[in-house]
Amino acid sequence: LAMVLFITMSSCKKEVVAPVVTITSLSSTAAFGGDEVTIQGENLHTVENVFVGERHATDVTAQSENSLSFIVPGNASPGESQLTLAMRDGYRVNTLFEVIQRPIPVIDAISPSGAAPGEQITIRGMNLDNLISTTIGGASASIESATNTELVLTVPSGVPVNTPAVIELATQEATASSTSIFYVGENRIANTDFEAGSGDDFDEWEKLNGADQMTEVTGDEAYFGRSIRIVGAGTPDQPWQTQLASKPTPLNFESEYTVIMWARAEAEGAIMRISASQYDGNGADYFYGDDTTV
């Protein structure tokens, strides 16, 4: 008698369960933007991102299994909100958190970067609606309108023209000074912030070489709400392969002019330059500026 034994084996896939993340305490449940907050809990080493409301807290100063410290984003919206810990696979843990509005004024952006006496400029930032003093170049500047995040001033007379001027905003508690370059003087170039236009078109500017590589940028990535993204032709020895030109601007012979250009590079080693062209009706002479690393 012969016997044959059949042995069968089965296996099942073991489900991997992510460690449970818990928050046991916060060093503070209410803080100003820029303050450091420390979370105590369990499995905090698995946290990949921290959010305060809708703002990403990119500055995590310390992280371990039972502790995580981060800086409250300076642009977090004031008021009651949620602190969110984000882990892999959409796993989230939330707790209540309050961002306290700091009374110190904050200057984030100025538009335009140059304006003559009597013209208006717009400042964006925070805590701009409770000011007791506003000055440009040391001279008192009148307030045309003010909200928490936007302030409109008129440039005063008596400030030396064609020179940088510091803007100072004061509350009862503190004074904020601008770090961005601002000139008092006539702005000779139109649509300097690229605010006018639609889609990938920018009023008063002409796309020359590489036109299809110049596109609109909006939202948080833009300066003052709207900017232009320019992708170079990839020929560092021939930067003229990508050109954006302002409409013709009359200049006076032997006069000196200052051009301010805000630029941010997406990759290390990017270059740009500012050049001038002289048109005589039959052609143009080109005066190329120096290459500048951004």
Side-chain angles (χ1 to χ4, degrees):
L1 178 65
M3 297 181 64
V4 179
L5 301 178
F6 293 90
I7 301 176
T8 61
M9 300 181 65
S10 63
S11 63
C12 61
K13 185 177 180 181
K14 184 177 180 181
E15 183 180 357
V16 178
V17 179
V20 176
V21 174
T22 60
I23 298 174
T24 57
S25 66
L26 300 175
S27 59
S28 177
T29 57
F32 293 109
D35 286 354
E36 184 180 75
V37 174
T38 298
I39 305 169
Q40 299 293 337
E42 296 179 353
N43 296 313
L44 298 179
H45 62 291
T46 65
V47 175
E48 295 187 344
N49 292 286
V50 179
F51 294 90
V52 178
E54 296 180 351
R55 298 298 182 180
H56 186 197
T58 57
D59 193 358
V60 175
T61 56
Q63 185 172 9
S64 65
E65 183 175 354
N66 301 114
S67 179
L68 188 152
S69 298
F70 68 95
I71 303 298
V72 178
N75 60 355
S77 299
E80 291 187 353
S81 184
Q82 278 197 332
L83 173 63
T84 302
L85 305 183
M87 285 66 67
R88 283 188 176 184
D89 301 324
Y91 181 26
R92 302 287 186 268
V93 173
N94 303 309
T95 190
L96 292 177
F97 187 77
E98 181 181 0
V99 178
I100 306 172
Q101 181 167 314
R102 190 181 294 276
I104 299 173
V106 177
I107 301 173
D108 287 335
I110 304 167
S111 175
S113 295
E119 295 181 338
Q120 294 182 358
I121 64 170
T122 301
I123 298 171
R124 289 182 181 170
M126 289 184 65
N127 306 320
L128 303 178
D129 57 348
N130 191 28
L131 305 174
I132 61 172
S133 172
T134 56
T135 61
I136 298 177
S140 178
S142 61
I143 297 176
E144 303 303 323
S145 64
T147 67
N148 180 58
T149 57
E150 187 169 289
L151 173 70
V152 178
L153 299 178
T154 296
V155 179
S157 58
V159 182
V161 297
N162 301 325
T163 57
V166 175
I167 299 173
E168 290 188 337
L169 309 178
T171 64
Q172 195 69 39
E173 295 81 10
T175 299
S177 300
S178 61
T179 55
S180 300
I181 297 174
F182 175 77
Y183 271 76
V184 174
E186 181 185 2
N187 197 337
R188 304 296 293 270
I189 300 176
N191 195 20
T192 54
D193 284 336
F194 301 114
E195 70 276 10
S198 60
D200 294 330
D201 294 324
F202 302 87
D203 294 354
E204 307 298 330
W205 291 86
E206 183 180 3
K207 299 177 183 179
L208 301 178
N209 300 339
D212 59 340
Q213 295 299 305
M214 304 180 197
T215 55
E216 178 187 52
V217 177
T218 59
D220 291 341
E221 291 300 311
Y223 182 80
F224 231 85
R226 188 170 190 258
S227 297
I228 187 170
R229 181 175 186 265
I230 302 176
V231 179
T235 51
D237 58 329
Q238 299 177 355
W240 58 86
Q241 296 291 349
T242 306
Q243 291 184 344
L244 175 70
S246 67
K247 290 297 178 67
T249 302
L251 304 177
N252 297 322
F253 184 65
E254 291 189 338
S255 292
E256 182 177 296
Y257 299 87
T258 298
V259 178
I260 302 173
M261 182 74 72
W262 289 106
R264 178 177 61 189
E266 293 185 345
E268 188 174 352
I271 65 168
M272 63 170 289
R273 65 185 182 185
I274 297 174
S275 307
S277 308
Q278 178 176 295
Y279 293 88
D280 62 4
N282 298 313
D285 290 331
Y286 295 93
F287 306 93
Y288 295 116
D290 295 331
D291 291 347
T292 300
T293 300
V294 183

